[in-house]
Amino acid sequence: MEINIKEIYEKYNALLKGHFLLSSGKHSQYYLQSARVLEYPEVAEKIAKALAKKIQSQIEVDTVCSPAIGGLLIGYELARALGVRFIFTERKNGKMELRRGFEVKPNERVLICEDIITTGGSAMEAAREIEKRGGKIVGFAAIANRGICPDKKECKLPKNLPLFTLGNFEFETYEPENCPLCKAGSTPIKPGSRGNQ
Ligand code: ZN
C-alpha cells in the first residue's frame, strides 16, 4: 500500500505555516504537527502498517522504543503492526531516561521510532538509554524526515543503521541570527508549548 504522507499532513492540517522555534534551536516557516494526523487511530494504523511493511522486509525487530511524547502514538501503532512490544523513554530534568520499570534484555533488537526525524537528536538519546541496558539498536523509523537524515552532516544517526520513513519534508531552517522572519519583526513560537499549537 503506497501512501502519500504530504497529502495526509495537508489533509489533517498538520503542516503548519508561521514562525517556529524548532527543538534544534533553529527557526522555520513550517512545522509538522504529527499529533493532528495521529488523532485519528485509523490514519495512525494505516501509516504504521505502511512503515511496518518497509521494515519487515529489511530487519528483525523484538521491540519498538520511542522517545516521549512525540514518538508515543506512532511507536505504539508501529509495534502493533510489527507484532512486537512497545516501550518508551522520557525526559526527567532534561535527561532522557527509560523509567516505569521497562526492561531490556541483553541483545534485544530494538527499533527507535519517532514521529518526525530532524537531526535524530532525541532518537539517539533514546538509543543510548537502550544500549546502556544491553539492548541492540537495529534501526530507526519515523513517519517522515526533514531532509537532514541520513545524508547531511547535521544528522546524528549512525550511518551503519537503516532509517525507515514514508516521506521527506524538506524545509528551509535558519539560525536565529540569520532568520528572515525574525528580521521582518516577528517572534518565533515553540510548537507544542503552553498556549501554542
Ligand atoms: Zn526567526
Side-chain angles (χ1 to χ4, degrees):
M1 174 180 43
E2 272 305 312
I3 63 171
N4 185 327
I5 212 70
K6 280 184 189 166
E7 247 168 42
I8 292 177
Y9 271 69
E10 278 167 4
K11 180 175 172 190
Y12 293 99
N13 297 318
L15 178 56
L16 308 183
K17 200 168 178 233
H19 183 192
F20 302 103
L21 171 61
L22 307 178
S23 56
S24 63
K26 291 188 175 181
H27 295 187
S28 174
Q29 198 176 359
Y30 295 98
Y31 185 77
L32 296 167
Q33 185 52 279
S34 301
R36 295 304 310 277
V37 170
L38 300 171
E39 73 179 88
Y40 302 97
E42 72 274 19
V43 181
E45 181 184 22
K46 199 167 94 175
I47 291 170
K49 278 185 174 164
L51 206 45
K53 204 175 152 194
K54 285 192 161 194
I55 294 163
Q56 276 162 332
S57 62
Q58 301 287 324
I59 57 170
E60 302 264 349
V61 176
D62 298 315
T63 298
V64 174
C65 175
S66 290
I69 295 173
L72 291 180
L73 298 172
I74 187 59
Y76 193 84
E77 279 299 327
L78 180 61
R80 187 205 304 273
L82 290 169
V84 301
R85 77 184 178 107
F86 175 76
I87 58 178
F88 60 90
T89 60
E90 59 199 299
R91 284 190 200 283
K92 194 189 173 198
N93 302 323
K95 191 181 170 294
M96 194 71 87
E97 290 179 359
L98 191 69
R99 307 181 70 202
R100 300 174 196 262
F102 286 141
E103 289 178 359
V104 179
K105 293 188 198 74
N107 292 318
E108 186 169 343
R109 295 164 298 185
V110 179
L111 176 81
I112 305 292
C113 181
E114 266 280 28
D115 54 349
I116 302 288
I117 289 273
T118 305
T119 62
S122 301
M124 278 311 292
E125 287 178 68
R128 285 190 202 105
E129 272 298 288
I130 297 297
E131 284 174 337
K132 237 165 57 186
R133 288 166 169 77
K136 186 176 186 297
I137 303 301
V138 290
F140 296 84
I143 302 170
N145 59 352
R146 292 282 305 253
I148 292 169
C149 286
D151 296 327
K152 292 197 180 155
K153 66 175 191 320
E154 295 95 328
C155 179
K156 295 191 172 87
L157 302 182
K159 298 272 180 272
N160 60 332
L161 291 174
L163 168 64
F164 303 94
T165 76
L166 296 172
N168 189 356
F169 287 93
E170 239 175 293
F171 303 139
E172 194 108 42
T173 58
Y174 311 102
E175 297 296 343
E177 56 274 22
N178 298 324
C179 175
L181 305 162
C182 283
K183 282 186 183 141
S186 89
T187 306
I189 62 162
K190 199 169 188 300
S193 61
R194 266 176 305 163
N196 295 327
Q197 291 169 307

